[in-house]
Amino acid sequence: MKPSSKEPEKVHPLRHVAIIMDGNNRWAAMRDLPGSAGHEVGVNRVRDVLDACQKHNVEVITLFAFSSENWKRPDLEVRALMALLTSYLKKEVRQLVERGIKLRFIGRRDNFSPRLNNLITESEALTSAGRQTLVLAVDYGGRWEITEAARKLAGLVQQGRLKPEEITEQLMQSHMSLTDLPPPDLCIRTAGEQRISNFMLWHMAYTEFYFADCYWPDFDGLAFDRAIDEYHRRQRRFGKRETGPEGSRRHA
């Protein structure tokens, strides 16, 4: 049978999935475990999601690993998260190389130790030949990213290299962290929360959102499959009028 041209997956392929990994501490608290235990189990879910992304031919997966606001958490938790990131990079980079996954970081780096900064740089270099991209947003905030882009453009204006009237959306986009990658098609947030928490504010103008009730440590490959199925049932019009007899009066 000839496949229908109306199949959602054919019309709107899923290239980029962003995930806000929420609920590690609550998952641990329900089991009378320290919060660090929830974060450690959460690392295993990253492996599951990478497997699912490869199965669904997702080109880019972006994980909100540590926000700029997370520095306000208790010092012990922050140090545990930094240690977990260090451990992840040491243990997983070789496997990422074998699986053809390129690792990329977005966010500030001046708050990290020299040791962690060196490890991040080395990890990006070692995995640079990968075909699929795993983006880790660490010490990242959407407002920070937009501010940084505006500051760079303001500097060009001050130097006389750019006129204010020459600033366009496209030029602003070119100064963003992921300018060379497609914007997220789907953003998943776990733990039942329904907000984006300063995550990729510029990039998600037309992103579809999926809110999962389970905590991140319980979000396995099957849960990811359910989110993908829901995505493919939706209609993405990007502000255009829907065609067809029933959609002739409907707008995005």
Side-chain angles (χ1 to χ4, degrees):
M1 178 182 294
K2 184 178 180 180
S4 169
S5 60
K6 297 294 184 180
E7 289 180 9
E9 189 171 359
K10 299 298 183 182
V11 176
H12 298 300
L14 183 59
R15 300 180 62 193
H16 186 170
V17 175
I19 302 180
I20 302 173
M21 306 177 292
D22 198 6
N24 289 341
N25 283 318
R26 280 170 283 174
W27 181 92
M30 288 179 62
R31 292 160 176 79
D32 294 323
L33 298 171
S36 58
H39 294 303
E40 290 172 3
V41 176
V43 171
N44 294 327
R45 298 290 79 80
V46 174
R47 301 186 188 102
D48 291 341
V49 167
L50 286 175
D51 289 340
C53 282
Q54 292 193 318
K55 180 177 72 174
H56 291 282
N57 297 315
V58 175
E59 300 172 19
V60 183
I61 176 82
T62 298
L63 304 179
F64 202 6
F66 188 87
S67 76
S68 52
E69 288 80 15
N70 286 158
W71 292 110
K72 301 174 184 177
R73 293 189 175 187
D75 183 63
L76 184 62
E77 181 179 355
V78 171
R79 285 192 281 114
L81 287 169
M82 292 298 104
L84 187 60
L85 175 59
T86 300
S87 175
Y88 176 80
L89 294 178
K90 289 181 176 180
K91 293 179 180 179
E92 300 293 325
V93 165
R94 178 174 295 181
Q95 186 179 63
L96 294 177
V97 171
E98 293 174 354
R99 297 177 62 177
I101 298 174
K102 178 191 301 183
L103 185 59
R104 181 165 168 180
F105 285 80
I106 58 173
R108 297 182 59 171
R109 299 193 186 186
D110 54 324
N111 290 318
F112 299 146
S113 67
R115 178 190 177 199
L116 181 54
N117 267 314
N118 289 336
L119 192 57
I120 288 173
T121 301
E122 291 173 3
S123 300
E124 289 180 320
L126 289 170
T127 61
S128 61
R131 299 174 301 279
Q132 185 185 38
T133 302
L134 168 61
V135 180
L136 294 183
V138 185
D139 197 4
Y140 171 88
R143 290 178 176 177
W144 166 83
E145 182 180 19
I146 294 171
T147 301
E148 285 297 297
R151 183 179 291 116
K152 292 175 184 176
L153 293 178
L156 294 176
V157 172
Q158 187 178 42
Q159 296 167 21
R161 298 168 57 189
L162 180 69
K163 297 179 180 178
E165 59 270 22
E166 294 175 336
I167 299 175
T168 63
E169 288 187 19
Q170 292 73 24
L171 186 60
M172 189 78 168
Q173 168 68 21
S174 70
H175 286 77
M176 293 291 170
S177 299
L178 301 179
T179 182
D180 57 324
L181 297 176
D185 300 295
L186 174 67
C187 178
I188 299 169
R189 180 165 189 154
T190 58
E193 306 294 348
Q194 298 188 18
R195 57 182 179 272
I196 59 175
S197 297
N198 197 22
F199 183 43
M200 301 186 77
L201 300 179
W202 175 272
H203 309 274
M204 296 202 291
Y206 277 100
T207 297
E208 296 291 323
F209 288 86
Y210 178 87
F211 301 106
D213 291 332
C214 66
Y215 297 133
W216 173 247
D218 292 326
F219 192 85
D220 56 14
L222 291 177
F224 187 86
D225 289 342
R226 286 193 290 270
I228 301 306
D229 289 342
E230 170 63 25
Y231 169 83
H232 286 308
R233 283 195 292 267
R234 299 182 185 179
Q235 294 180 342
R236 305 190 72 198
R237 296 186 290 276
F238 301 95
K240 300 177 182 178
R241 186 189 300 269
E242 183 182 358
T243 59
E246 295 184 1
S248 58
R249 297 183 181 181
R250 294 170 61 187
H251 299 266

